[in-house]
Amino acid sequence: MSSRTDTPADLISLLRDEREAEDFEIDGADLSGEDFQGGIIRSSVITSSDFHDVSFRGGAFSDVVFDGCDFSAADLSGCFLSSVTFRSSKLTGIRLSGCRIRKLSIIDSVCRYASFERSSITDSVFSGSVFESASFSEVRAASSRIVSSDLTKVSFRGTKLSGFDLADSSIEGIYLSDDLSELRGASLSFDQALSVIRDRGVLLR
C-alpha cells in the first residue's frame, strides 16, 4: 500500500511504478498523455489537475473526488468506479465503456461525446451537466438519476430508462430504437413527449 503524499510528482511516480496510489490531497497535477493501464486510485481528493488523454484502462477508482479536472479524451474503459465524484470537470470524449460503476456523481461538468456504452451503472447521479452527443447505448442502469442536464443528441439505444425522470433535462434529438422502448416507464414533460413523437415523423393536428 502506498504511503500518503501531497506531491503531484509522487502521485505520478507511484502510478508509473506500482500502478496504485492512495490517500492523496493534491492540486495542479499534470498526468496528461500518461499510460497507467490497470492503475488504481483510492481515497483521494484531486483538484485542478490535467488527465487529458490519460489511460487507466482496466483500472479502478474508489472514494475519489475530482474537482475542476480535465479528463478530455481519457480512456477509462473497463474500469471499476465506486463512490467517485467529478465536479466542475471537463470529460469531453472520455471513454467509460464497459465499466462497472456504482455511486458515481457527475456534477456541473462538460461531458460532450463521452461514451458509457455497455457499462453497468447503479446508485449514481448526473446533475447540471452537459452530455451533448454522448452515448449511453446498451447501458444497464438502476437506482440512478439524471437531473437538469443537457442530453441533446445523446444515444440511449438499448438502454432501459424506466424510473428516470427526464422532465427537467433537455432531450432534443436523442437517439432511440424505432419502437421507443427505451422510454417505457420514464417520466417526460408534455412538450418532450411531443418532440419525441415529431422526431419520428408523426404529424400532430
Side-chain angles (χ1 to χ4, degrees):
M1 181 179 296
S2 61
S3 60
R4 180 184 176 91
T5 176
D6 294 323
T7 306
D10 287 343
L11 170 64
I12 294 170
S13 179
L14 281 171
L15 289 171
R16 284 175 178 168
D17 298 338
E18 301 181 19
R19 287 296 195 263
E20 186 171 343
E22 186 171 11
D23 291 333
F24 278 80
E25 293 184 11
I26 63 172
D27 179 81
D30 183 359
L31 293 80
S32 58
E34 294 278 359
D35 184 356
F36 300 127
Q37 184 167 330
I40 298 170
I41 299 179
R42 300 188 185 96
S43 305
S44 298
V45 177
I46 301 176
T47 59
S48 302
S49 295
D50 189 355
F51 290 83
H52 178 266
D53 203 31
V54 74
S55 175
F56 277 92
R57 190 178 182 90
F61 301 84
S62 61
D63 299 300
V64 182
V65 174
F66 296 103
D67 194 340
C69 294
D70 184 355
F71 273 84
S72 299
D75 187 359
L76 276 61
S77 301
C79 282
F80 173 66
L81 288 82
S82 177
S83 299
V84 174
T85 296
F86 292 98
R87 182 183 295 113
S88 302
S89 293
K90 185 177 180 181
L91 311 180
T92 302
I94 191 172
R95 295 186 291 283
L96 284 158
S97 55
C99 292
R100 291 179 297 135
I101 297 170
R102 60 184 296 273
K103 295 185 179 179
L104 170 66
S105 298
I106 298 179
I107 303 167
D108 298 333
S109 296
V110 177
C111 312
R112 292 186 177 93
Y113 304 101
S115 174
F116 294 83
E117 293 179 358
R118 300 180 303 282
S119 288
S120 172
I121 302 175
T122 59
D123 300 317
S124 298
V125 58
F126 303 148
S127 177
S129 296
V130 178
F131 292 92
E132 182 182 354
S133 299
S135 178
F136 287 84
S137 296
E138 299 181 38
V139 166
R140 289 176 294 161
S143 303
S144 298
R145 295 181 296 139
I146 299 175
V147 182
S148 300
S149 292
D150 183 353
L151 306 177
T152 303
K153 297 182 180 178
V154 167
S155 175
F156 287 111
R157 285 179 177 140
T159 298
K160 295 180 180 178
L161 295 171
S162 179
F164 280 83
D165 187 346
L166 305 178
D168 62 354
S169 294
S170 172
I171 63 168
E172 284 79 6
I174 59 172
Y175 294 95
L176 304 164
S177 299
D178 290 340
D179 61 2
L180 306 181
S181 58
E182 292 86 356
L183 291 178
R184 289 176 188 148
S187 297
L188 304 179
S189 71
F190 181 73
D191 288 342
Q192 286 175 326
L194 288 179
S195 177
V196 170
I197 292 171
R198 288 194 186 102
D199 286 345
R200 289 298 181 277
V202 177
L203 299 177
L204 303 175
R205 297 179 182 275

